[in-house]
Amino acid sequence: MSQLKQNPLIGVETANSSWNWLYRVAGVAALISLVIIPIQVIIFIVSPPPTTAIGWFTLFQNNKLLGLLAFELLIIVSNALAIPIYLAFYAALRRVSESFMAIATVIGLVGIVASFVARPAFEMLYLSDQYAAATTDSQSMFLAAGEVMIAMSKGTASHLSYIFAALAPLIISVVMLRSNIFSKATAYIGILANVIALGFYVPEIGIIFGIISVCPFLMIWEILIARRFFQLGRGISKEEANRIGGMSR
């Protein structure tokens, strides 16, 4: 029997599996990530990130918390929350395509690690404190180290984390289309959000694609997957969810 013909059984099995607590944790993680998105946007508007080491050091000395938030501390938290989400996706969809889900999970986890490397917020805070305490002659050393941190935040790890953060959910969303676990609407919105996200690398207008991918598409996707994870955590199959008006087909 093909995988596609087995799909009706997959939804029942997953909904009644021993992964319920993982699904619930993933649902909470998705909702927290949803809240983080507008907060981080507001922070960028209120406190645009400096472009030089001395600018960052000054920001940290004026307000350490704002400095950490401007250095995308909340994005670090959001990426950490993606760990249980990827694991929950693997648990739910592994019988649909174990190979593709394994690939997507590894890509997602590698992207998370890369995102941590690309956001050395606490390293910059440390350098800021050392700069403030240093003598005039030695301050140049800390400024140089600060410029290295800025280069890291815009370098290979940064691009890798962005690409992988779009590629992993894209693969997962394609697998969703073959399953009887998530709705087709969830799958299509996930595909649309992450394809648009990759448009970030289009010259001159890439930032527009990046913004559109997040608002509204990624935010809608977070709501849909959170809702489904909570249903899976309660042992509710997609058919049962549809019968009680839980999700559109």
Side-chain angles (χ1 to χ4, degrees):
M1 183 180 293
S2 68
Q3 285 182 329
L4 192 58
K5 292 181 180 179
Q6 292 175 349
N7 281 343
L9 298 178
I10 294 170
V12 175
E13 178 182 348
T14 304
N16 295 281
S17 71
S18 59
W19 298 92
N20 290 354
W21 274 106
L22 176 59
Y23 295 139
R24 293 168 186 168
V25 171
V28 172
L31 289 182
I32 296 174
S33 297
L34 175 67
V35 173
I36 284 176
I37 292 172
I39 294 176
Q40 188 66 68
V41 170
I42 292 172
I43 291 171
F44 283 151
I45 295 174
V46 173
S47 180
T51 57
T52 63
I54 188 61
W56 278 109
F57 290 172
T58 301
L59 177 59
F60 275 114
Q61 291 307 307
N62 291 336
N63 191 319
K64 287 181 170 57
L65 178 59
L66 183 58
L68 290 171
L69 293 174
F71 218 102
E72 300 185 350
L73 177 62
L74 289 180
I75 300 299
I76 296 174
V77 174
S78 179
N79 287 329
L81 291 171
I83 295 174
I85 294 175
Y86 283 129
L87 294 178
F89 274 133
Y90 179 80
L93 297 169
R94 69 192 188 284
R95 293 189 181 276
V96 182
S97 179
E98 189 168 4
S99 57
F100 276 109
M101 287 308 301
I103 292 170
T105 303
V106 171
I107 289 175
L109 295 178
V110 170
I112 291 170
V113 173
S115 74
F116 294 157
V117 175
R119 293 175 174 86
F122 288 97
E123 291 86 343
M124 187 64 87
L125 172 59
Y126 171 79
L127 290 173
S128 173
D129 290 338
Q130 294 300 304
Y131 174 84
T135 62
T136 304
D137 293 337
S138 60
Q139 283 182 330
S140 59
M141 176 180 63
F142 294 108
L143 283 174
E147 293 295 340
V148 172
M149 294 296 106
I150 294 174
M152 288 176 57
S153 71
K154 301 179 183 300
T156 302
S158 176
H159 292 286
L160 185 68
S161 67
Y162 186 89
I163 294 172
F164 278 17
L167 187 58
L170 179 58
I171 295 173
I172 291 169
S173 297
V174 172
V175 174
M176 280 183 190
L177 289 175
R178 299 183 59 194
S179 79
N180 193 37
I181 302 168
F182 293 87
S183 70
K184 294 297 187 289
T186 303
Y188 286 127
I189 291 175
I191 292 171
L192 185 60
N194 292 288
V195 168
I196 293 174
L198 292 173
F200 177 77
Y201 289 97
V202 175
E204 298 183 5
I205 60 172
I207 187 63
I208 298 176
F209 285 103
I211 294 173
I212 294 175
S213 71
V214 172
C215 182
F217 297 112
L218 180 59
M219 297 181 71
I220 295 174
W221 196 64
E222 295 277 9
I223 294 172
L224 292 175
I225 65 172
R227 187 178 188 182
R228 188 66 187 120
F229 280 139
F230 284 129
Q231 291 172 342
L232 289 172
R234 296 196 303 272
I236 299 175
S237 68
K238 195 181 82 169
E239 289 75 16
E240 293 171 322
N242 287 338
R243 282 198 298 270
I244 63 177
M247 294 194 339
S248 62
R249 293 182 185 273

